[in-house]
Amino acid sequence: WKELQEYSFKCRRDPPKYTEIDHNGSQIQFAVTFQDFSIKGDFKDSKYDAVESASHMLCKKYFPDLSKSVRPPDVLDKRKQHDYACGLTSKCLLQLKRNNCIHWKELQEYSFKCRRDPPKYTEIDHNGSQIQFAVTFQDFSIKGDFKDSKYDAVESASHMLCKKYFPDLSKSVRPPDVLDKRKQHDYACGLTSKCLLQLKRNNCIHWKELQEY
């Protein structure tokens, strides 16, 4: 989808279009159209995966040059299956990504490259609003608990696991105190965490430039 967007912008063409055609219960029929070409499809769960899949078919069929630098879907599917085998929901995985949980990401990357099982998240016990959990990778495990943010808790456990058993994975990662200072800096702006997240999602680059500077 991104390749089609970039290409259309460079060539000053109309962008690719997503159109919903029909709803049949939880299944939605749609079309992705670009120039005079169109691919139809349907989805139940993830609109994003469906649109990307249709965009890939459109590129492959009509714009093969756009697909050359893009990893083929079977590799992406294997990666997705690998990442989703961790025991977290898709919502949690998305939030881990948004929260820039780099140690969890390092474990995911390392395990995928080495063809190992991915890191696992397991809930052990509930005690009121507090949840005990474990992050496990290979034969190593770190236990922890959280009340509020599962994402911060999982990242913290992943960091301890990396630091204790996989120090090489931590070398290229900024230490938590640097991340904390950065977080404190960014949150001192007077906006809520929700607003800051939306600014990030909306790629508000001038605000970002002021923050960086």
Side-chain angles (χ1 to χ4, degrees):
W1 176 265
K2 187 180 172 187
E3 287 293 314
L4 287 175
Q5 289 277 18
E6 289 290 329
Y7 177 75
S8 61
F9 185 72
K10 286 175 185 172
C11 299
R12 298 182 182 180
R13 301 288 186 95
D14 289 335
K17 293 278 197 311
Y18 166 84
T19 315
E20 288 187 6
I21 302 166
D22 189 29
H23 286 247
N24 183 9
S26 61
Q27 190 165 293
I28 297 172
Q29 291 183 309
F30 70 96
V32 168
T33 308
F34 183 54
Q35 294 182 21
D36 299 325
F37 311 110
S38 184
I39 294 283
K40 290 182 180 178
D42 51 65
F43 69 90
K44 278 188 189 177
D45 304 314
S46 170
K47 181 190 287 188
Y48 321 111
D49 292 342
V51 168
E52 173 61 7
S53 177
S55 302
H56 170 255
M57 287 191 286
L58 203 149
C59 283
K60 192 175 180 182
K61 195 170 182 180
Y62 303 113
F63 304 93
D65 289 339
L66 296 184
S67 293
K68 285 178 182 175
S69 62
V70 177
R71 286 186 297 175
D74 58 335
V75 175
L76 295 174
D77 285 344
K78 282 176 187 172
R79 180 58 201 253
K80 190 175 177 184
Q81 286 165 12
H82 170 91
D83 291 357
Y84 273 67
C86 67
L88 289 164
T89 64
S90 55
K91 190 178 178 183
C92 290
L93 286 172
L94 182 62
Q95 201 62 46
L96 280 163
K97 192 176 179 183
R98 283 177 185 159
N99 286 22
N100 195 26
C101 293
I102 45 183
H103 288 91
W104 175 266
K105 186 182 172 188
E106 286 295 312
L107 288 175
Q108 287 277 26
E109 289 290 331
Y110 175 76
S111 59
F112 186 71
K113 285 175 186 173
C114 299
R115 298 182 182 180
R116 302 287 186 96
D117 290 333
K120 293 278 196 307
Y121 166 84
T122 313
E123 287 186 10
I124 302 166
D125 190 28
H126 286 245
N127 184 10
S129 62
Q130 189 164 292
I131 298 172
Q132 291 182 310
F133 71 96
V135 168
T136 309
F137 184 53
Q138 293 180 23
D139 299 324
F140 310 108
S141 184
I142 295 286
K143 291 181 180 178
D145 50 66
F146 68 89
K147 277 188 187 177
D148 304 314
S149 172
K150 180 189 287 189
Y151 324 112
D152 292 341
V154 168
E155 172 62 6
S156 178
S158 303
H159 170 253
M160 286 191 285
L161 203 149
C162 283
K163 193 176 179 181
K164 197 170 181 181
Y165 303 113
F166 303 94
D168 289 340
L169 295 184
S170 292
K171 284 178 182 174
S172 62
V173 176
R174 288 181 296 176
D177 60 333
V178 175
L179 294 174
D180 285 345
K181 283 176 185 172
R182 179 56 200 256
K183 196 172 180 181
Q184 286 165 15
H185 169 91
D186 292 355
Y187 274 67
C189 67
L191 288 165
T192 64
S193 55
K194 190 176 178 182
C195 290
L196 287 172
L197 182 62
Q198 201 61 48
L199 280 163
K200 191 176 179 183
R201 283 180 192 158
N202 288 18
N203 195 24
C204 293
I205 47 180
H206 289 90
W207 176 265
K208 187 182 171 186
E209 285 296 311
L210 287 175
Q211 288 276 23
E212 289 290 330
Y213 178 74

